[in-house]
Amino acid sequence: LCLDCMNIRSRPFSCRLLLLTSLLLVLPFCISTNSTEAGCINHNLRMTSVSSKYQQDGPEAKEIAQYLPYFPFKGIPRFYDIGGFLFEPEIFQKIVNIFADRYKEIGVDVIAGLDARGFILGPPIALALKKPFVMMRKKGKMPNSISSDDYQTEYGSRSGITVQRDKIKEGDRVLVIDDLVATGGTLSSAISLVKMLKGTVVECACVVELKMFINPSEESGLPSRTKLFKELGHEEVPVWGLVSEDILTNEAKLPEGYVDDGEEH
């Protein structure tokens, strides 16, 4: 807006005051009518304000990492066990508080937890925010549900996950919660479900993020989460993890005779 172009300075004081007051009243409305652009600006501002508060591998994360031991399990040398911090009420509460604080600032309408550890983490965060919690479950577990396509994880192929079709409404801002993100297969399936119901995934949040899968080199042979999200049209959805493998150094003390008896599914 150019005040010179509007000849405001040449007008009587009373006219100038009236015009400027009108501009102040109309300008917010003009901005809000471009809902997509305004929404992106508001979202980016919110994300910027919270990104500096709880950083990945920051002081809080380093404390929590001490309670995330890893085991050789399911054929994986480092299987991170959330049972460690669940057994410590103060640490579990700290995690809930961090997530609740972050998403109170960002703003969400619905919290969706992934089968099964998302069912542990999601409800206390939803209660703290006073927002509804939605389960995303394996096929055949819930009535009145829709299903995503089959997908791949670090463990192998999986059949699609489901959500009840009346739990997410058009325009809902949805937070997807799980304990850990690796290849992003399960998260991408959850994002697809939200989009089927015309909701928007504000963010996918996990306690642990394995950064080695974000965008590995071709030579590594590892699956790329970035490439998967792009192929599925989900590249606009951010993923946030509080703790990365860089600080997960707590090797579990295995009892004598320990056996890896983990099932694939």
Side-chain angles (χ1 to χ4, degrees):
L1 293 173
C2 176
L3 298 184
D4 288 331
C5 294
M6 298 175 68
N7 294 320
I8 284 181
R9 291 184 175 86
S10 64
R11 297 173 183 269
F13 176 76
S14 59
C15 292
R16 281 185 281 168
L17 182 61
L18 179 61
L19 283 169
L20 289 172
T21 303
S22 300
L23 281 172
L24 290 173
L25 291 172
V26 172
L27 186 58
F29 172 77
C30 294
I31 294 175
S32 66
T33 55
N34 190 343
S35 58
T36 301
E37 184 176 350
C40 291
I41 292 171
N42 290 337
H43 176 71
N44 289 338
L45 288 173
R46 286 194 294 265
M47 296 296 284
T48 301
S49 67
V50 298
S51 62
S52 60
K53 189 170 186 179
Y54 297 115
Q55 296 181 350
Q56 185 177 81
D57 297 344
E60 298 86 2
K62 288 176 181 175
E63 180 185 4
I64 291 164
Q66 299 174 45
Y67 300 91
L68 273 161
Y70 64 84
F71 293 77
F73 191 60
K74 296 188 178 184
I76 299 173
R78 289 193 173 199
F79 182 95
Y80 300 103
D81 178 29
I82 69 168
F85 68 71
L86 293 177
F87 194 69
E88 302 291 337
E90 290 186 6
I91 301 301
F92 188 14
Q93 185 66 63
K94 183 183 289 287
I95 292 170
V96 171
N97 292 345
I98 289 171
F99 278 66
D101 197 16
R102 179 179 177 84
Y103 295 105
K104 181 180 181 181
E105 186 73 23
I106 292 174
V108 298
D109 299 312
V110 177
I111 294 173
L114 297 181
D115 198 344
R117 296 178 187 90
F119 298 171
I120 299 171
L121 298 168
I125 296 169
L127 288 173
L129 294 172
K130 294 181 171 55
K131 298 295 181 181
F133 177 75
V134 174
M135 295 183 292
M136 290 189 167
R137 302 198 66 184
K138 300 178 178 71
K139 287 184 178 180
K141 301 293 185 180
M142 296 188 297
N144 190 34
S145 61
I146 60 170
S147 174
S148 66
D149 294 334
D150 294 351
Y151 61 97
Q152 295 288 324
T153 73
E154 60 272 25
Y155 303 119
S157 60
R158 296 286 184 268
S159 59
I161 57 176
T162 66
V163 68
Q164 291 180 306
R165 62 182 71 242
D166 60 339
K167 295 299 188 289
I168 296 173
K169 297 178 175 57
E170 184 174 354
D172 276 350
R173 292 168 55 83
V174 181
L175 169 65
V176 176
I177 293 276
D178 205 0
D179 66 323
L180 179 147
V181 55
T183 63
T186 309
L187 291 182
S188 66
S189 192
I191 295 168
S192 295
L193 279 179
V194 173
K195 288 183 175 180
M196 286 180 196
L197 296 172
K198 299 183 179 180
T200 300
V201 178
V202 173
E203 194 163 74
C204 295
C206 302
V207 178
V208 175
E209 178 181 29
L210 300 184
K211 297 188 298 183
M212 68 176 76
F213 294 107
I214 294 177
N215 195 21
S217 65
E218 293 288 340
E219 294 76 19
S220 70
L222 294 173
S224 168
R225 190 179 83 211
T226 301
K227 184 178 179 181
L228 174 65
F229 273 39
K230 186 174 182 180
E231 289 173 350
L232 296 173
H234 299 332
E235 62 266 34
E236 82 284 0
V237 179
V239 176
W240 183 74
L242 179 60
V243 183
S244 84
E245 69 268 37
D246 290 349
I247 61 171
L248 289 172
T249 58
N250 183 11
E251 182 177 2
K253 295 180 180 179
L254 303 180
E256 186 177 350
Y258 174 84
V259 176
D260 178 354
D261 57 356
E263 298 180 359
E264 182 186 348
H265 294 279

